[in-house]
Amino acid sequence: AQSVTQLDSQVPVFEEAPVELRCNYSSSVSVYLFWYVQYPNQGLQLLLKYLSGSTLVKGINGFEAEFNKSQTSFHLRKPSVHISDTAEYFCAAEGYGGATNKLIFGTGTLLAVQP
Amino acid sequence: DTAVSQTPKYLVTQMGNDKSIKCEQNLGHDTMYWYKQDSKKFLKIMFSYNNKELIINETVPNRFSPKSPDKAHLNLHINSLELGDSAVYFCASRGFFGETQYFGPGTRLLVL
């Protein structure tokens, strides 16, 4: 079984400042990791994912994330945020190797970008 | 063209009623999902179908019954609606394991 922890429920940040959204996972098997973004009253959209290979993953809208196996983390970063980045961000993990696979989501982090 | 669509977008109904939510995907994916997002934004998988076969059935009350008439459609029927069913329900689909799940816009259900 997997679990995903997003310790920060809300992260306020000023426009053009850097931001890091934290995500830690727990799993007894290897996992694929994802970050999704949800804008107000919309569905979820994939930002980026880690399946294998390079531990630094680049996604859309200037976001990137680093997979750290020893720390079981997959933190999301952006060097300079915009007002339009204000949204809910979800980290998710999916274990592989079992008969059925499902995406387990963290509780989300609201990124609130202020002018 | 919308990849994953859901109808209706909003649903307001009384306790005890029966309602259905429809989902369609035009991506040619084999696997479809239903998720529930509660008022605290927590997302939890409810069901998954692969090529019309139920493969994931989480601990969901029997009042919820998914139906997949073909691999492009996955509908959710809810009997005897309760106040606690108020939530946003998302449909999603994907092709292969590890691939991106594509989410629909959500159906906002309010039970009065």
Side-chain angles (χ1 to χ4, degrees):
Chain A
Q2 296 84 47
S3 67
V4 177
T5 302
Q6 292 180 248
L7 286 172
D8 305 307
S9 60
Q10 187 168 349
V11 173
V13 63
F14 287 108
E15 196 173 18
E16 297 183 8
V19 72
E20 178 179 83
L21 305 184
R22 296 181 293 166
C23 172
N24 287 88
Y25 69 91
S26 170
S27 177
S28 54
V29 298
S30 295
V31 293
Y32 295 146
L33 295 162
F34 305 80
W35 274 99
Y36 281 85
V37 60
Q38 184 179 26
Y39 298 104
N41 296 316
Q42 292 188 29
L44 279 77
Q45 178 185 0
L46 183 75
L47 273 179
L48 48 80
K49 62 184 177 184
Y50 173 78
L51 302 183
S52 64
S54 171
T55 57
L56 183 62
V57 180
K58 293 193 184 298
I60 62 170
N61 301 341
F63 284 92
E64 64 180 32
E66 184 145 26
F67 170 60
N68 187 319
K69 190 173 181 181
S70 61
Q71 310 241 345
T72 60
S73 67
F74 191 53
H75 301 332
L76 181 71
R77 293 191 286 261
K78 185 168 182 177
S80 174
V81 295
H82 302 290
I83 295 283
S84 58
D85 292 323
T86 294
E88 194 85 29
Y89 291 79
F90 292 94
C91 183
E94 184 167 12
Y96 57 90
T100 60
N101 302 294
K102 54 188 178 185
L103 209 50
I104 304 298
F105 284 89
T107 48
T109 297
L110 175 61
L111 176 61
V113 182
Q114 303 161 35
Chain B
D1 251 358
T2 305
V4 182
S5 59
Q6 294 179 229
T7 53
K9 193 168 181 180
Y10 298 96
L11 191 48
V12 181
T13 187
Q14 301 285 332
M15 263 197 316
N17 284 351
D18 303 338
K19 290 293 177 187
S20 290
I21 307 172
K22 295 188 176 183
C23 177
E24 177 181 2
Q25 54 96 2
N26 62 6
L27 298 166
H29 289 162
D30 284 339
T31 307
M32 296 185 72
Y33 305 83
W34 277 113
Y35 288 88
K36 179 180 180 181
Q37 186 175 46
D38 63 22
S39 58
K40 294 194 163 104
K41 302 275 186 178
F42 184 59
L43 266 162
K44 192 170 188 313
I45 189 168
M46 300 172 71
F47 302 103
S48 175
Y49 270 75
N50 182 272
N51 222 350
K52 300 195 295 174
E53 182 185 346
L54 181 66
I55 57 170
I56 294 176
N57 185 348
E58 291 294 288
T59 311
V60 177
N62 290 339
R63 301 181 293 102
F64 289 80
S65 51
K67 281 192 173 48
S68 181
D70 54 62
K71 74 174 194 177
H73 295 85
L74 179 61
N75 303 324
L76 183 65
H77 188 76
I78 316 170
N79 287 327
S80 304
L81 278 155
E82 300 177 357
L83 293 177
D85 298 332
S86 296
V88 183
Y89 293 85
F90 287 102
C91 176
S93 75
R94 79 159 167 204
F96 300 102
F97 175 64
E99 282 192 358
T100 302
Q101 286 193 26
Y102 291 87
F103 283 77
T107 295
R108 284 146 186 83
L109 171 65
L110 178 60
V111 182
L112 302 173

